[in-house]
Amino acid sequence: MILYDLLSLKILLVVVVLPLTVLDIERYDLDIKSNSRSHHTQLCGEERLIVRRGQPFNIILHLTAGSKDFKPGETGLTLIIETGPLPRKESDTKVTFSITDSTVDTDWSASATYDPSGNTLSLSISSSPDAPIGVYSLTLDQNGKKTSLGQFTLLFNAWCPRDAVYMHSETKRQEYVLAQHGQIYRGTHKRIKGTPWNFGQFEAGILDICLKILDENPKFVSDADKDCSARRNPIYVTRVLSAMINSNDDRGVLVGNWGKIEDGTHPGEWIGSGDILHQWAESGPVCYGQCWVFAAVACTVSRALGIPCRVVTNFGSAHDTDANLVIENLYDEDGKRISGGDSIWNFHVWVDSWMTRPDLGQKFDGWQTSDPTPQETSEGVFCCGPASLKAIKEGELTLKYDVPFIFAEVNADVVDLVLLSTGQFVKFSGSTKSVGCFISTKTVGSDDRRDITHQYKYAEGTFSVFAFNVHLHLFLSPFLGLCCFFPSLVLHVVYVSLFLTIFCSSSSV
């Protein structure tokens, strides 16, 4: 109330604080069936709530008979969501937010609608489109009185325009997120054969196993708080999966074997990812896998977590061990092959995942290549990617992650060298067309093969910005470290760069 003291011409303000209403909650309903349908997770079953980030979901609170009515402004309601073993506000693994009149699509928010006839309060909760994925607990706080509202699992959302994995086409979302069956191409470029594969990302228990893979990765073990917070980023998650699908550095899913197999399961006997993932969850690394098995399991896990993913086969796939973008076949003077590190596989299989690349720039958004088959280490770990498909095609060899290695897989030149008795190597033949051909993936909506070679590389003989980038990288690499000691080298480097630019532009075909 306000009292007026006319004699002293002063105003005395007296504030009367009324206690906020505390609702008496009898039970809550996660409305799993309706939420699952709107979040495209109904194939996961109805045992628990699984939603996609950046999109509202509903929870219904049933109030006890005789409970006070909900009145906005008189009922103080706050929601607390937590994920990971050490939830912290600073890491965005713990978020507290009030229930207001409406939700927003940029951050965690919630609104409430009261139905006096049914004595229910419906909460509409919208998650941040940048929230870490994982299992969350949900708590309602009424001025210190806390009520658990259970748990929910949050996934990436290809249907949300603000999500980093947003994919505009509904038919592509159906194919690259929801499709549980596909084709993996093997053989040679002259005889390509499709092999059916059951990805099974919505089978019972698979999502839990996929989350367990994240929890088993060494980065989580060393710093769980940092790892859980980083799970907001599909780039980070994809790189972790690239390392965890193989078991070279950790208790990853698959053991590779390219020799004689006398125990375990031959890679050619697997027909789906489900058995492999269940076996790993029960007893650790599974014997055995080769490239198409590694890629298929990675595709399953990616789709289960909500990242659009496709399996890709490269025919005539180079393995460049010394990063010089050349595959060197060495022979002695009798024509006998000398064992060396470089090689060319009849085919090799990896995955492409769809996401934005804010670390590289909008130009490099879209498909990102990663390879879970253990070939070479990257930052000390057997993993590869994600590398922007645009960067691979344009020869942007300085961009992360592992662009030079994947570029060589589809673009390396082949050189045949003979070792003379003098110890000198002499080139006697070579090829610029035998590596990276008939790059294949399943067609959206059918089992037909789609050739996507043009997405990875320009036509043979084409010079462009792509050629300039490659030549410049190869030329400058030995000199960049010397420029700080010999400044005059900088001018020479600039001159050569300009020459290559003019040469490449004038040689376009």
Side-chain angles (χ1 to χ4, degrees), residues 95-212:
V95 182
T96 302
F97 51 100
S98 299
I99 295 176
T100 59
D101 295 335
S102 60
T103 59
V104 298
D105 58 6
T106 57
D107 206 347
W108 287 96
S109 59
S111 62
T113 304
Y114 179 60
D115 179 8
S117 63
N119 202 26
T120 60
L121 186 68
S122 295
L123 303 181
S124 176
I125 303 171
S126 184
S127 61
S128 167
D130 190 40
I133 63 165
V135 178
Y136 283 81
S137 65
L138 179 62
T139 303
L140 178 67
D141 186 352
Q142 300 186 78
N143 305 305
K145 180 183 178 182
K146 296 182 179 180
T147 305
S148 172
L149 300 182
Q151 292 185 326
F152 63 94
T153 301
L154 190 67
L155 306 178
F156 291 108
N157 191 356
W159 285 262
C160 174
R162 293 181 180 271
D163 196 303
V165 303
Y166 173 66
M167 184 170 261
H168 179 74
S169 167
E170 175 60 23
T171 56
K172 290 182 179 179
R173 292 192 292 251
Q174 292 288 328
E175 178 72 40
Y176 298 129
V177 179
L178 300 182
Q180 297 193 78
H181 297 87
Q183 294 281 325
I184 299 175
Y185 297 96
R186 298 157 59 193
T188 68
H189 72 278
K190 293 183 178 180
R191 189 175 182 182
I192 299 174
K193 181 180 180 182
T195 301
W197 191 272
N198 178 19
F199 296 110
Q201 66 267 33
F202 300 118
E203 293 178 4
I206 293 299
L207 178 56
D208 285 331
I209 295 172
C210 295
L211 294 172
K212 177 181 172 67

Side-chain angles (χ1 to χ4, degrees), residues 331-350:
Y331 300 87
D332 62 21
E333 291 183 315
D334 296 325
K336 183 178 179 181
R337 180 73 183 268
I338 301 173
S339 60
D342 291 347
S343 60
I344 300 177
W345 298 1
N346 285 338
F347 70 93
H348 184 53
V349 186
W350 55 67

Side-chain angles (χ1 to χ4, degrees), residues 346-358:
N346 285 338
F347 70 93
H348 184 53
V349 186
W350 55 67
V351 292
D352 284 344
S353 303
W354 184 271
M355 65 194 72
T356 60
R357 289 302 298 264

Side-chain angles (χ1 to χ4, degrees), residues 289-488:
Q290 290 182 7
C291 62
W292 71 92
V293 184
F294 286 106
V297 173
C299 184
T300 293
V301 178
S302 297
R303 291 183 182 181
L305 298 177
I307 302 174
C309 190
R310 67 184 183 184
V311 178
V312 175
T313 303
N314 177 37
F315 290 93
S317 190
H319 182 172
D320 179 23
T321 59
D322 53 8
N324 66 350
L325 306 183
V326 176
I327 302 302
E328 296 149 327
N329 297 323
L330 309 180
Y331 300 87
D332 62 21
E333 291 183 315
D334 296 325
K336 183 178 179 181
R337 180 73 183 268
I338 301 173
S339 60
D342 291 347
S343 60
I344 300 177
W345 298 1
N346 285 338
F347 70 93
H348 184 53
V349 186
W350 55 67
V351 292
D352 284 344
S353 303
W354 184 271
M355 65 194 72
T356 60
R357 289 302 298 264
D359 57 329
L360 304 180
Q362 188 176 1
K363 172 184 176 181
F364 299 101
D365 292 350
W367 289 117
Q368 314 290 320
T369 297
S370 62
D371 189 351
T373 300
Q375 298 185 82
E376 301 291 334
T377 59
S378 174
E379 298 180 339
V381 178
F382 277 98
C383 67
C384 184
S388 165
L389 205 61
K390 183 70 171 179
I392 296 168
K393 182 172 182 177
E394 297 295 340
E396 297 280 3
L397 304 183
T398 61
L399 299 183
K400 59 186 180 182
Y401 294 91
D402 308 306
V403 173
F405 183 80
I406 302 171
F407 174 88
E409 287 184 301
V410 300
N411 272 299
D413 291 340
V414 179
V415 176
D416 297 319
L417 302 171
V418 60
L419 176 61
L420 303 179
S421 57
T422 60
Q424 180 183 7
F425 281 103
V426 177
K427 175 183 175 181
F428 66 91
S429 67
S431 172
T432 61
K433 299 181 180 180
S434 58
V435 167
C437 52
F438 297 97
I439 303 175
S440 305
T441 192
K442 177 184 172 300
T443 299
V444 173
S446 80
D447 286 338
D448 295 337
R449 183 185 74 88
R450 183 188 178 199
D451 192 305
I452 56 172
T453 307
H454 64 284
Q455 294 183 12
Y456 275 87
K457 57 192 293 188
Y458 287 96
E460 296 294 342
T462 299
F463 279 83
S464 59
V465 175
F466 148 79
F468 168 67
N469 287 332
V470 176
H471 283 88
L472 186 61
H473 173 81
L474 291 175
F475 177 81
L476 296 185
S477 294
F479 299 104
L480 291 179
L482 297 175
C483 288
C484 59
F485 299 104
F486 303 99
S488 61

